[in-house]
Amino acid sequence: QVLSFVIPTQLQRVTHRALHRLFHTRSCLFVALHIALQAAVYGEYTWEVFVYCWEMQFHLLLLLLPYLLLAGNVGCFILCSRADPGVITKSNHSSLVKIYAYDGVLFQKGTVCPVCDMEKPARSKHCSFCGLCVHRFDHHCVWVNNCIGASNAKYFFLYLFSLTAMAAAIATITAALLIQVVLLSNMMQGSYIDEQGQEHAIDILFVIQHLFLTFPRIVFMLGFVILLTLVLGSYCCFNLYLAFTNQTANEWYKSRRYGYSHHLTLQPRDRLVYKHIYSKGIWRNLKEIFKPPTALERKKK
């Protein structure tokens, strides 16, 4: 009985340590997974979809669009993963601390990072993955194995939108191929006989089943890229909302603890209400993503 208790406990500790190393340290595992998924999708697209579409005389530029998007996405991926996200060091701390004002709620003046032993500039955060403080910290992205901060946010936006466009382009071309196959075969005009010997007109469900049996890998890939497009599209919309309002993902998450008001006040029951003070209007907010402000620019204003 003692042994049966000790073994699960040890397994839990080993599992916990493994998960801690995986999710709380920088790791290339998700980068490898990301590359493997892209390779699988593009392999199937090139091996079957491209060939069938070429035989059906699809426009060449349309067929090459996913490859053009892939080239742009790879470039953004490399820039996003290799670029300095805005690491705060002893040499640049004095200038970075002047860029943003402290809001007194999410970011308090005088807060010192216990690891880096420096006062945290407003909108910064210490990343437990990288072990560094990052200026205008958004989040740590495991898919690019790097923090997203002031200096590489523009690359992350381009990476994310090009990745969504890739999935949408492959989904659209693959769906167009399958629709063309159905139209050319006049399948929708036919009928089938079920197990009871009754005749039925062909419906959408029958067509999907027929296509899955005829082109299993293509249909499976289509379902995957459609799901991926929906997930990435939703995440793109969320990031657009953050960009339009000049919020980071870190600030949005932390601000959920508070209500919203036009003023920073103490509500009944001593509940602190948070107001985001960094928004400057949609266009200036977007500009800040692609051209982060400097201490000199803030001084001029």
Side-chain angles (χ1 to χ4, degrees):
Q1 291 179 349
V2 174
L3 183 62
S4 64
F5 173 77
V6 170
I7 292 177
T9 303
Q10 291 178 340
L11 288 175
Q12 289 177 358
R13 290 175 180 173
V14 171
T15 303
H16 181 267
R17 285 197 295 268
L19 290 174
H20 186 273
R21 286 196 298 269
L22 178 61
F23 291 103
H24 292 277
T25 57
R26 294 191 65 172
S27 171
C28 293
L29 176 63
F30 289 97
V31 175
L33 178 60
H34 167 216
I35 295 173
L37 289 174
Q38 276 195 343
V41 170
Y42 270 87
E44 178 59 27
Y45 175 79
T46 304
W47 185 255
E48 290 196 286
V49 176
F50 186 94
V51 174
Y52 288 137
C53 288
W54 180 253
E55 292 176 353
M56 292 183 181
Q57 299 182 341
F58 277 56
H59 199 287
L60 179 60
L61 185 59
L62 177 65
L63 298 180
L64 293 178
L65 178 60
Y67 298 107
L68 299 176
L69 291 171
L70 176 62
N73 180 257
V74 170
C76 294
F77 171 80
I78 294 173
L79 289 172
C80 194
S81 60
R82 300 296 298 273
D84 176 12
V87 176
I88 302 171
T89 63
K90 298 287 186 181
S91 59
N92 64 14
H93 176 269
S94 59
S95 60
L96 293 180
V97 80
K98 300 174 184 177
I99 294 178
Y100 294 111
Y102 292 93
D103 61 14
V105 181
L106 301 184
F107 307 105
Q108 303 277 353
K109 185 174 178 60
T111 303
V112 177
C113 175
V115 178
C116 300
D117 193 27
M118 291 184 294
E119 181 184 3
K120 290 184 178 181
R123 310 192 78 181
S124 68
K125 185 179 184 296
H126 183 86
C127 176
S128 58
F129 293 85
C130 302
L132 299 166
C133 281
V134 177
H135 176 53
R136 199 183 183 276
F137 177 87
D138 190 273
H139 70 288
H140 182 93
C141 180
V142 295
W143 298 108
V144 301
N145 197 23
N146 197 8
C147 282
I148 307 303
S151 300
N152 67 345
K154 52 183 175 292
Y155 303 133
F156 177 74
F157 264 73
L158 296 175
Y159 162 76
L160 179 60
F161 282 98
S162 61
L163 189 63
T164 307
M166 282 167 46
I170 293 178
T172 301
I173 295 171
T174 305
L177 167 65
L178 296 178
I179 291 172
Q180 188 74 351
V181 168
V182 172
L183 294 177
L184 291 175
S185 64
N186 291 319
M187 190 183 303
M188 297 302 295
Q189 310 301 324
S191 61
Y192 70 95
I193 298 176
D194 63 15
E195 296 177 353
Q196 287 75 34
Q198 296 180 346
E199 186 175 0
H200 300 276
I202 290 180
D203 55 10
I204 297 297
L205 182 60
F206 179 88
V207 171
I208 294 175
Q209 291 175 342
H210 175 75
L211 290 174
F212 185 78
L213 293 173
T214 309
F215 309 103
R217 291 192 300 271
I218 293 179
V219 174
F220 181 80
M221 183 195 73
L222 177 60
F224 174 74
V225 291
I226 287 176
L227 177 62
L228 192 62
T229 302
L230 294 175
V231 172
L232 290 173
S234 301
Y235 190 47
C236 280
C237 292
F238 173 67
N239 276 270
L240 274 176
Y241 162 73
L242 293 180
F244 288 157
T245 56
N246 203 337
Q247 295 185 78
T248 65
N250 175 57
E251 291 164 0
W252 179 87
Y253 175 76
K254 292 171 70 174
S255 67
R256 299 304 94 189
R257 307 172 191 170
Y258 307 99
Y260 284 93
S261 174
H262 294 293
H263 304 283
L264 293 172
T265 58
L266 284 175
Q267 297 296 311
R269 300 180 183 178
D270 293 333
R271 185 187 178 189
L272 190 62
V273 176
Y274 169 70
K275 182 199 174 191
H276 186 72
I277 65 172
Y278 303 112
S279 181
K280 307 169 187 175
I282 291 178
W283 297 116
R284 292 179 65 187
N285 291 342
L286 283 175
K287 180 182 177 182
E288 187 168 312
I289 296 295
F290 293 91
K291 187 182 177 183
T294 63
L296 183 61
E297 289 175 354
R298 184 169 184 262
K299 188 176 180 181
K300 288 180 179 179
K301 294 176 183 179

